[in-house]
Amino acid sequence: MDDIVRQAIAKWPNVPHCFGWLGLDARGNWYMRDDRAQAAGPFPLSRGSLLRHEKLLDFIHRNYEHDAQGQWFFQNGPQRVYVELEAAPFVWRLGPDHAVTAHTGHLAGTVRRCVTDELGHVYLQCDLGFGLVHTLDVAQAADAIEQGIWTPEEVPAHVLPVRFGFVLSPVAARQPAAA
């Protein structure tokens, strides 16, 4: 986390959290979801505006974390902006020798587990966390599986958040359960 963000939290400790305004898609793209996008439906059905400003994206990446409930957020100064996730908290890119890097640019560390869902999506549990392999890198992931570097375990997609400790939609988690 940036020092300036820590200072802002110390200076303004009681700023309310923000929900529904930021989304991360399955390709590692960030979307700003204004009132109109939110009213049009949940993420990713209604995405909002694709963020392209490199300095803003770098700031988000440096200050992207999770709380004790597994809800991911961007610490924007003193305010937590909770993130609606399409698939997982991280989107992995694979490099030479199957090195794994997150959409944030951070190295993922050691691959601890390889998971596939019923649609054939490939996920990796790494030192950094849990994420989806980017669609452009699925062939490299298949290569690692064929070489025996990773041994996949099939897990239904709806079970992944509970099994790997993350919340896809902090907005939905705040809603009271239907009776």
Side-chain angles (χ1 to χ4, degrees):
M1 184 182 300
D2 289 359
D3 284 337
I4 194 166
V5 172
R6 283 189 188 90
Q7 292 168 9
I9 293 169
K11 187 172 183 176
W12 299 290
N14 298 316
V15 174
H17 302 322
C18 179
F19 292 86
W21 285 81
L22 189 61
L24 177 68
D25 77 4
R27 294 176 65 87
N29 296 310
W30 294 100
Y31 290 86
M32 182 63 63
R33 303 184 68 243
D34 61 13
D35 286 331
R36 196 173 82 223
Q38 291 180 54
F43 187 80
L45 188 64
S46 174
R47 292 185 186 275
S49 301
L50 177 64
L51 295 179
R52 294 193 170 141
H53 191 280
E54 284 196 34
K55 288 188 179 189
L56 174 59
L57 294 172
D58 289 343
F59 184 60
I60 292 171
H61 293 162
R62 289 192 313 271
N63 296 286
Y64 181 55
E65 298 186 15
H66 63 89
D67 66 15
Q69 289 75 43
Q71 298 176 110
W72 285 80
F73 62 89
F74 154 52
Q75 189 70 46
N76 183 24
Q79 185 174 54
R80 282 187 179 180
V81 179
Y82 281 91
V83 178
E84 297 293 298
L85 304 171
E86 182 173 0
F90 292 102
V91 177
W92 304 128
R93 297 306 311 261
L94 304 182
D97 300 322
H98 307 102
V100 182
T101 303
H103 69 280
T104 60
H106 295 98
L107 293 175
T110 303
V111 174
R112 305 280 180 203
R113 177 182 275 155
C114 176
V115 175
T116 58
D117 67 15
E118 64 276 12
L119 298 175
H121 298 127
V122 181
Y123 302 83
L124 301 174
Q125 174 70 39
C126 300
D127 294 337
L128 187 61
F130 185 79
L132 174 69
V133 172
H134 193 286
T135 55
L136 294 176
D137 297 339
V138 171
Q140 285 177 270
D143 182 53
I145 292 168
E146 287 174 5
Q147 291 181 34
I149 297 169
W150 303 331
T151 303
E153 165 192 359
E154 189 165 327
V155 177
H158 74 277
V159 174
L160 295 173
V162 172
R163 169 101 37 108
F164 294 99
F166 63 93
V167 175
L168 285 172
S169 176
V171 168
R174 295 183 72 208
Q175 305 300 320

